[in-house]
Structures are given as C-alpha cells and as structure tokens.
C-alpha cells in the first residue's frame, strides 16, 4: 500500500492478515445466508439485449466513435474467440494493452473468465517489462498489437530472460506482415495468432493448427461459425477471392446499432 497510495482497501485470503487489511474469511463469516435465498440474484439479471458496455474506437478514419454492445452479442464474441485460440484453465494470460479497449477485453479479460485462465495485468509497454513478467508469472499467452510484437522481438535484452513458457501470441488491431509472423516463431518459438476484429463485432483469426502460409498471409476464418462474411462491389455483387471490395458481415456477434 505504501507504493500504491491510491488503494483504499486491500483484501487478504488466508488467516495471516496484516494490520489495516481486511480478511476475506472475516467478511464471509459476517454474512447471514438467511438473507440471501437461492434466487436472490434473479432480480439483478440483465436482459440479454441490454447494452452492457460502450467501446471507444477510432477505426481507420481516426474519427472517435462509441459502439454500444449488448450482453448477448458481446458474450458471443468473447466466448467464440476464446475457443478459437484455445484458451484453457492452465493458461496465464498477460494483458498489456489498455483494458478499456476492445482488444484487451474481448481477447483477454473476458476470454480468460470463460476459460478459467489466470489474468496478469501489466501497466507498461516496455519490452523489458514484458520479458520480466513472462519470466516471473510463467506467461503462456498474450494479446498485443503488431507494433508491440515488433518492439519485443527487436529487444536485444530478451536473451537474458526465460520466455519458454509462451505458447502463443495473439496480434490484432492492424496488419501483421508475414516477416513479423516468421520472426516471432523463430525467435520465441511460439505460435502467432493472426487476428482481425473491430468494436462493432465481426472477429476472425487463424487457428493454432493452421499451416504457416495461412498464418503469415491471412486473418483466418470467422471465430463464430454463425457469422457470415462477404466482399462486395459497389453494386452489391459478391466478389471472388483476391478481388478488393467492401467487407460486409452479419451474425450474432455483430453489434446492435
């Protein structure tokens, strides 16, 4: 608490509770369970169609926007994305992008809750801090933007840390060059998950079992099997692979608005 004066309360699990801190067991023992029948939480249950969060995004235009996400559509994104990059209860997931933004929330925080994985928060974007945290917490996965991946791979001091626990790195938010994907696999020996998504909902990514050319040159397939993606021209005609056009998407993971 001396190093973090902004903390007002600290809760301790276990019997050895230092002064000025609060024991979880003491709090539990104060509760009268008769006041909380089995259906107590029912009155707090939100409607699945209610807005649960409003996400900030600038997109490619740089113009600030706010995206309302409902419980049902956002949970859909979080659950299917967690399945797609195979998060599980043995993972220790490092989150060093802003928690208020979509990448950290949909890929990391809520995905870890669904998967019972451990969440480790890092309030630094410095490569040495990343390496130190991976070594200390035996981090197995992390969600980053490509520029952070590049910065970590260019950090000469990484050879002084044990990063062998890392099994996969998810990268999204901007284009991942093929050379960056190759460099990560060569230098860190873990899998690159090439992802695409937006606050508005559609999310795709490569899978751990995809061959290298797919991971290096594509953003995989939709995370949710019920989402539908198409590329169309100005007249609304569906374009074949390799042709540039406008991305259109629909499905349960797309936002309401």
């Amino acid at each position: 608490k001396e190093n973090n004066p902004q903390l007002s309360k600290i809760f301790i699990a276990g019997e050895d509770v230092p002064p000025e801190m609060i024991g979880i067991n003491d709090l539990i023992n104060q509760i009268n369970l008769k006041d909380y029948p089995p259906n107590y939480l029912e009155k707090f249950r939100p409607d699945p169609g209610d807005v649960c969060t409003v996400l900030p995004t600038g997109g490619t235009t740089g113009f600030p926007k706010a995206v309302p996400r409902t419980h049902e559509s956002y949970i859909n994104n979080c659950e299917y994305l967690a399945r797609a990059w195979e998060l599980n209860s043995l993972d220790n997931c490092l989150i060093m992008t802003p928690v208020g933004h979509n990448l950290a929330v949909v890929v990391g925080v809520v995905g870890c809750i669904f998967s019972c994985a451990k969440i480790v928060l890092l309030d630094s974007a410095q490569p040495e801090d990343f390496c130190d945290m991976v070594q200390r917490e035996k981090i197995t996965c992390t969600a980053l933007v490509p520029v952070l991946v590049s910065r970590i791979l260019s950090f000469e001091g990484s050879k002084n840390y044990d990063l062998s626990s890392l099994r996969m790195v998810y990268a999204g938010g901007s284009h991942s060059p093929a050379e960056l994907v190759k460099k990560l696999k060569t230098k860190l020996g873990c899998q690159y998950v090439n992802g695409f998504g937006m606050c508005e909902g559609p999310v795709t990514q490569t899978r751990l079992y995809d061959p290298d050319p797919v991971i290096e040159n594509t953003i995989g397939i939709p995370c949710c099997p019920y989402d539908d993606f198409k590329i169309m021209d100005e007249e609304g005609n569906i374009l074949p692979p390799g042709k540039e056009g406008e991305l259109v998407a629909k499905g349960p993971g797309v936002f309401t608005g």
Side-chain angles (χ1 to χ4, degrees):
K1 192 173 181 179
E2 293 177 358
N3 297 327
N4 299 278
Q6 74 275 16
L7 291 175
S8 59
K9 292 182 176 64
I10 299 177
F11 299 90
I12 302 296
E15 301 298 331
D16 186 15
V17 182
E20 299 182 1
M21 297 186 184
I22 302 168
I24 292 291
N25 290 340
D26 294 335
L27 286 178
I28 293 174
N29 293 333
Q30 293 174 17
I31 297 173
N32 184 357
L33 294 180
K34 293 181 180 179
D35 296 335
Y36 303 96
N39 64 344
Y40 176 78
L41 293 177
E42 289 294 327
K43 60 184 177 182
F44 301 104
R45 184 185 298 275
D47 185 285
D50 287 345
V51 172
C52 66
T53 185
V54 178
L55 296 170
T57 176
T60 53
T61 65
F63 185 76
K65 298 180 286 291
V67 182
R69 298 306 309 267
T70 59
H71 292 277
E72 55 191 358
S73 74
Y74 204 51
I75 285 176
N76 179 89
N77 285 155
C78 296
E79 182 174 7
Y80 277 107
L81 201 151
R83 292 181 184 180
W85 74 312
E86 301 183 27
L87 277 179
N88 64 68
S89 60
L90 300 179
D91 278 316
N92 300 326
C93 185
L94 177 60
I95 299 171
M96 58 188 294
T97 56
V99 177
H101 287 202
N102 192 49
L103 177 61
V105 178
V106 73
V107 180
V109 176
V110 184
C112 287
I113 293 172
F114 267 111
S115 311
C116 298
K118 178 181 176 180
I119 301 172
V120 179
L121 300 177
L122 176 63
D123 61 349
S124 168
Q126 299 304 314
E128 56 267 37
D129 294 330
F130 170 86
C131 293
D132 178 64
M133 190 64 77
V134 169
Q135 178 174 277
R136 283 199 288 132
E137 296 290 338
K138 303 300 180 188
I139 298 299
T140 61
C141 58
T142 185
L144 305 172
V145 292
V147 67
L148 280 178
V149 176
S150 178
R151 188 181 301 172
I152 291 166
L153 293 178
S154 299
F155 175 49
E156 290 295 331
S158 63
K159 60 181 180 291
N160 300 320
Y161 298 86
D162 180 7
L163 307 179
S164 60
S165 59
L166 266 178
R167 71 183 187 96
M168 56 186 180
V169 172
Y170 179 104
S174 62
H175 172 64
S176 291
E179 289 305 313
L180 182 66
V181 180
K182 294 176 183 177
K183 187 176 180 181
L184 179 127
K185 198 165 186 177
T186 300
K187 188 168 184 178
L188 298 186
C190 62
Q191 187 62 284
Y192 199 105
V193 180
N194 202 341
F196 165 83
M198 58 184 75
C199 292
E200 290 81 357
V203 286
T204 77
Q205 67 179 66
T206 57
R207 305 305 199 258
L208 300 182
Y209 50 78
D210 282 337
D212 290 344
V214 171
I215 299 173
E216 293 164 8
N217 300 292
T218 81
I219 51 172
I221 59 176
C223 296
C224 174
Y226 308 109
D227 279 346
D228 192 17
F229 287 69
K230 295 178 181 178
I231 304 295
M232 306 180 77
D233 63 18
E234 294 179 353
E235 284 73 43
N237 300 309
I238 300 175
L239 295 172
K243 295 293 183 180
E244 185 175 322
E246 182 177 11
L247 171 66
V248 295
K250 68 176 181 179
V254 178
F255 84 123
T256 302

